[in-house]
Amino acid sequence: MVESAGKAAHRSSAVAEAWSVPLLFPPQRPRVVVKADLLPAVSVLSTAALLGIPLGWLWAQLAPAQRVRVVTPDGGLVPLELESWHRFDDLAVFGFLAMGAGLLIGLVTWFLRERRGPVVCLAAAGGALLAGWLGTQMGPAFANSKYSVDSAPALGTVLSQAPRLESGWVILAAPLLTCLVYALMTAWNGRADLGRRLG
Protein backbone atom coordinates (compact mmCIF):
# COMPACT_ATOMS: atom_id res chain seq x y z
CA MET A 1 0.00 0.00 0.00
CA VAL A 2 2.85 2.35 0.93
CA GLU A 3 4.63 1.45 -2.30
CA SER A 4 1.56 2.19 -4.46
CA ALA A 5 1.08 5.52 -2.66
CA GLY A 6 4.71 6.37 -3.38
CA LYS A 7 4.26 5.51 -7.03
CA ALA A 8 1.14 7.69 -7.22
CA ALA A 9 2.95 10.59 -5.55
CA HIS A 10 5.89 10.19 -7.91
CA ARG A 11 3.53 10.10 -10.92
CA SER A 12 1.66 13.23 -9.77
CA SER A 13 4.91 15.12 -9.18
CA ALA A 14 6.13 14.12 -12.67
CA VAL A 15 2.88 15.35 -14.21
CA ALA A 16 3.13 18.60 -12.25
CA GLU A 17 6.70 19.12 -13.42
CA ALA A 18 5.75 18.39 -17.02
CA TRP A 19 2.93 20.92 -16.96
CA SER A 20 4.56 23.57 -14.80
CA VAL A 21 7.66 24.19 -16.91
CA PRO A 22 5.89 25.54 -20.02
CA LEU A 23 3.63 27.70 -17.86
CA LEU A 24 6.51 29.22 -15.90
CA PHE A 25 8.81 29.63 -18.91
CA PRO A 26 6.75 30.09 -22.10
CA PRO A 27 8.75 29.59 -25.31
CA GLN A 28 10.04 32.78 -26.88
CA ARG A 29 8.51 33.26 -30.31
CA PRO A 30 10.48 35.31 -32.81
CA ARG A 31 8.92 38.68 -33.52
CA VAL A 32 8.35 40.09 -36.97
CA VAL A 33 11.26 42.32 -37.91
CA VAL A 34 10.03 45.44 -39.67
CA LYS A 35 12.55 48.25 -39.25
CA ALA A 36 15.63 46.28 -40.28
CA ASP A 37 13.82 44.80 -43.30
CA LEU A 38 12.46 48.04 -44.77
CA LEU A 39 15.52 48.99 -46.83
CA PRO A 40 16.04 45.44 -48.18
CA ALA A 41 12.32 45.33 -48.96
CA VAL A 42 12.60 48.48 -51.08
CA SER A 43 15.56 46.92 -52.91
CA VAL A 44 13.59 43.72 -53.53
CA LEU A 45 10.57 45.67 -54.79
CA SER A 46 12.55 47.83 -57.22
CA THR A 47 14.71 44.97 -58.51
CA ALA A 48 11.70 42.71 -59.05
CA ALA A 49 9.84 45.50 -60.85
CA LEU A 50 12.68 45.83 -63.37
CA LEU A 51 11.93 42.30 -64.58
CA GLY A 52 8.96 43.83 -66.41
CA ILE A 53 11.26 45.11 -69.17
CA PRO A 54 12.70 41.72 -70.22
CA LEU A 55 9.25 40.22 -69.64
CA GLY A 56 7.71 42.62 -72.17
CA TRP A 57 10.54 42.10 -74.67
CA LEU A 58 10.33 38.31 -74.45
CA TRP A 59 6.55 38.44 -74.89
CA ALA A 60 6.95 40.60 -78.01
CA GLN A 61 9.28 37.97 -79.49
CA LEU A 62 7.08 34.96 -78.64
CA ALA A 63 3.51 36.21 -79.02
CA PRO A 64 2.01 35.35 -82.43
CA ALA A 65 0.96 38.17 -84.71
CA GLN A 66 -2.53 38.24 -86.16
CA ARG A 67 -2.70 38.22 -89.97
CA VAL A 68 -5.26 40.65 -91.31
CA ARG A 69 -6.41 41.80 -94.76
CA VAL A 70 -6.90 45.42 -95.79
CA VAL A 71 -10.53 45.64 -97.00
CA THR A 72 -11.20 49.37 -97.28
CA PRO A 73 -9.20 52.21 -98.84
CA ASP A 74 -8.99 54.00 -95.49
CA GLY A 75 -7.14 51.06 -93.89
CA GLY A 76 -9.98 48.93 -92.51
CA LEU A 77 -8.67 45.53 -91.40
CA VAL A 78 -10.35 42.13 -91.17
CA PRO A 79 -8.58 39.10 -89.63
CA LEU A 80 -8.08 36.04 -91.78
CA GLU A 81 -9.85 32.80 -90.91
CA LEU A 82 -8.82 31.39 -87.49
CA GLU A 83 -6.33 34.23 -86.97
CA SER A 84 -8.53 35.83 -84.32
CA TRP A 85 -7.59 32.95 -81.99
CA HIS A 86 -4.22 34.62 -81.54
CA ARG A 87 -5.93 37.21 -79.34
CA PHE A 88 -6.16 34.51 -76.67
CA ASP A 89 -2.72 33.14 -77.50
CA ASP A 90 -1.14 36.53 -76.85
CA LEU A 91 -2.81 36.73 -73.44
CA ALA A 92 -1.87 33.14 -72.55
CA VAL A 93 1.78 33.61 -73.53
CA PHE A 94 2.03 36.70 -71.35
CA GLY A 95 0.33 34.89 -68.48
CA PHE A 96 2.78 31.99 -68.59
CA LEU A 97 5.77 34.33 -68.85
CA ALA A 98 4.44 36.37 -65.91
CA MET A 99 4.01 33.20 -63.85
CA GLY A 100 7.61 32.27 -64.66
CA ALA A 101 8.73 35.71 -63.49
CA GLY A 102 6.68 35.31 -60.31
CA LEU A 103 8.26 31.92 -59.66
CA LEU A 104 11.73 33.40 -60.11
CA ILE A 105 10.98 36.36 -57.83
CA GLY A 106 9.54 34.11 -55.11
CA LEU A 107 12.50 31.71 -55.12
CA VAL A 108 15.20 34.39 -55.22
CA THR A 109 13.49 36.32 -52.43
CA TRP A 110 13.25 33.18 -50.31
CA PHE A 111 17.00 32.60 -50.61
CA LEU A 112 17.62 35.97 -48.91
CA ARG A 113 17.79 34.00 -45.67
CA GLU A 114 18.60 36.88 -43.33
CA ARG A 115 15.57 38.85 -44.56
CA ARG A 116 12.90 36.17 -44.59
CA GLY A 117 9.54 37.30 -43.31
CA PRO A 118 6.30 39.06 -44.21
CA VAL A 119 7.90 42.43 -44.97
CA VAL A 120 10.12 41.11 -47.75
CA CYS A 121 7.34 38.81 -48.95
CA LEU A 122 5.00 41.77 -49.41
CA ALA A 123 7.77 43.69 -51.17
CA ALA A 124 8.35 40.76 -53.53
CA ALA A 125 4.62 40.57 -54.31
CA GLY A 126 4.51 44.31 -54.93
CA GLY A 127 7.57 44.10 -57.18
CA ALA A 128 5.99 41.24 -59.12
CA LEU A 129 2.82 43.30 -59.56
CA LEU A 130 4.86 46.24 -60.87
CA ALA A 131 6.79 43.89 -63.16
CA GLY A 132 3.53 42.59 -64.60
CA TRP A 133 2.24 46.12 -65.16
CA LEU A 134 5.52 47.25 -66.73
CA GLY A 135 5.47 44.19 -68.97
CA THR A 136 1.99 45.08 -70.23
CA GLN A 137 3.25 48.56 -71.10
CA MET A 138 6.59 47.62 -72.65
CA GLY A 139 5.46 44.46 -74.44
CA PRO A 140 3.03 46.11 -76.88
CA ALA A 141 5.56 48.89 -77.46
CA PHE A 142 8.22 46.34 -78.46
CA ALA A 143 5.67 44.45 -80.58
CA ASN A 144 4.49 47.60 -82.38
CA SER A 145 8.04 48.46 -83.36
CA LYS A 146 8.61 44.91 -84.57
CA TYR A 147 5.51 44.83 -86.77
CA SER A 148 5.49 48.46 -87.85
CA VAL A 149 4.24 49.35 -91.36
CA ASP A 150 6.26 52.00 -93.17
CA SER A 151 3.87 52.88 -95.97
CA ALA A 152 0.13 52.80 -96.55
CA PRO A 153 -0.89 49.26 -97.58
CA ALA A 154 -2.78 48.61 -100.80
CA LEU A 155 -6.31 47.23 -100.84
CA GLY A 156 -6.32 43.45 -100.32
CA THR A 157 -2.84 43.34 -98.78
CA VAL A 158 -2.30 40.80 -95.97
CA LEU A 159 -0.49 42.29 -93.00
CA SER A 160 0.80 40.96 -89.70
CA GLN A 161 -0.86 42.93 -86.92
CA ALA A 162 1.16 43.33 -83.74
CA PRO A 163 0.03 41.19 -80.78
CA ARG A 164 -1.84 43.00 -78.05
CA LEU A 165 -3.11 42.34 -74.54
CA GLU A 166 -6.85 42.77 -74.19
CA SER A 167 -7.18 42.15 -70.44
CA GLY A 168 -5.47 43.93 -67.59
CA TRP A 169 -6.12 41.07 -65.16
CA VAL A 170 -3.09 39.24 -66.50
CA ILE A 171 -0.80 41.41 -64.34
CA LEU A 172 -2.00 39.42 -61.30
CA ALA A 173 -0.31 36.22 -62.51
CA ALA A 174 3.17 37.21 -61.30
CA PRO A 175 2.31 38.36 -57.74
CA LEU A 176 -0.02 35.40 -57.17
CA LEU A 177 2.69 32.91 -58.05
CA THR A 178 5.26 34.85 -56.02
CA CYS A 179 3.06 34.62 -52.91
CA LEU A 180 2.28 30.96 -53.59
CA VAL A 181 5.96 30.01 -53.92
CA TYR A 182 6.92 31.97 -50.81
CA ALA A 183 4.09 30.40 -48.81
CA LEU A 184 5.07 26.89 -49.93
CA MET A 185 8.71 27.50 -49.02
CA THR A 186 7.64 28.85 -45.63
CA ALA A 187 5.49 25.80 -44.94
CA TRP A 188 8.29 23.49 -46.07
CA ASN A 189 10.83 25.28 -43.82
CA GLY A 190 8.81 24.78 -40.62
CA ARG A 191 11.05 26.95 -38.39
CA ALA A 192 9.57 29.61 -36.16
CA ASP A 193 12.05 32.22 -37.42
CA LEU A 194 12.19 30.79 -40.99
CA GLY A 195 15.89 30.10 -40.52
CA ARG A 196 16.94 33.74 -40.25
CA ARG A 197 19.36 33.09 -37.40
CA LEU A 198 21.31 30.66 -39.58
CA GLY A 199 22.03 33.34 -42.17
Side-chain angles (χ1 to χ4, degrees):
M1 181 66 95
V2 175
E3 186 176 345
S4 63
K7 285 183 180 179
H10 177 68
R11 189 178 303 134
S12 64
S13 65
V15 170
E17 287 177 6
W19 285 101
S20 61
V21 172
L23 295 176
L24 293 175
F25 303 103
Q28 293 291 332
R29 291 192 178 185
R31 295 186 178 181
V32 175
V33 180
V34 176
K35 218 175 207 184
D37 286 352
L38 282 180
L39 188 58
V42 172
S43 300
V44 166
L45 188 143
S46 57
T47 305
L50 288 178
L51 279 178
I53 298 174
L55 173 64
W57 180 84
L58 191 59
W59 174 80
Q61 305 306 312
L62 295 177
Q66 183 179 6
R67 292 191 305 160
V68 294
R69 187 185 302 276
V70 180
V71 294
T72 59
D74 59 348
L77 304 174
V78 172
L80 299 181
E81 187 178 0
L82 302 181
E83 287 291 313
S84 60
W85 291 2
H86 289 321
R87 295 168 58 191
F88 171 76
D89 298 339
D90 299 337
L91 198 63
V93 168
F94 189 89
F96 282 119
L97 290 175
M99 286 192 292
L103 174 68
L104 179 66
I105 292 170
L107 284 177
V108 170
T109 305
W110 174 256
F111 285 121
L112 300 175
R113 181 186 289 272
E114 295 180 1
R115 300 302 176 195
R116 287 177 183 169
V119 176
V120 174
C121 178
L122 289 175
L129 182 65
L130 286 176
W133 175 82
L134 189 59
T136 60
Q137 303 303 308
M138 298 298 294
F142 288 130
N144 288 334
S145 63
K146 181 180 178 182
Y147 294 100
S148 61
V149 179
D150 299 329
S151 58
L155 195 66
T157 304
V158 175
L159 302 173
S160 292
Q161 193 176 36
R164 58 189 186 274
L165 296 169
E166 299 186 7
S167 175
W169 290 101
V170 73
I171 67 172
L172 296 178
L176 284 177
L177 207 69
T178 297
C179 292
L180 178 63
V181 167
Y182 206 89
L184 287 175
M185 296 301 284
T186 301
W188 172 74
N189 180 267
R191 297 176 185 268
D193 65 344
L194 302 180
R196 286 174 66 114
R197 68 182 183 277
L198 302 178

